[in-house]
Amino acid sequence: MMEYIQIMTTVGTREDAERIARTLLEEHQAACVQIVGPITSMYRWEGSVERTEEYQCQIKSRADHFSQVEESIVRIHPYDVPEVVAIPMPSCGGAYEQWLRSELQG
């Protein structure tokens, strides 16, 4: 059985989120990218607590594509340290899984 994952990253603008989504879809590294936002993110950066509005990309892919997805995100991401976090998808609906399989061949 193929292992599917959801990868998340956040960026400061919708345009950056759409650039990441389009790249991953065109390169067949993702079957779907949902863009959520704006969201409020709070984090520590260089000794200070920061608060920013960001857009989150929720990327549906295969576990064996993670390194390629990460490399693509890092290549085009505007942040010095982009968030690239994967969560396993232990199960999903049968028709959805068939669709994922067909979109992520290779």
Side-chain angles (χ1 to χ4, degrees), residues 42-60:
M42 296 184 69
Y43 52 91
R44 291 191 58 80
W45 181 251
E46 297 181 346
S48 298
V49 174
E50 302 288 333
R51 179 188 183 280
T52 58
E53 282 196 349
E54 294 183 297
Y55 291 84
Q56 183 182 63
C57 296
Q58 299 174 355
I59 304 153
K60 308 308 183 295

Side-chain angles (χ1 to χ4, degrees), residues 4-16:
Y4 297 100
I5 57 176
Q6 177 173 282
I7 302 165
M8 292 176 288
T9 192
T10 53
V11 291
T13 67
R14 179 170 290 281
E15 292 78 18
D16 286 336

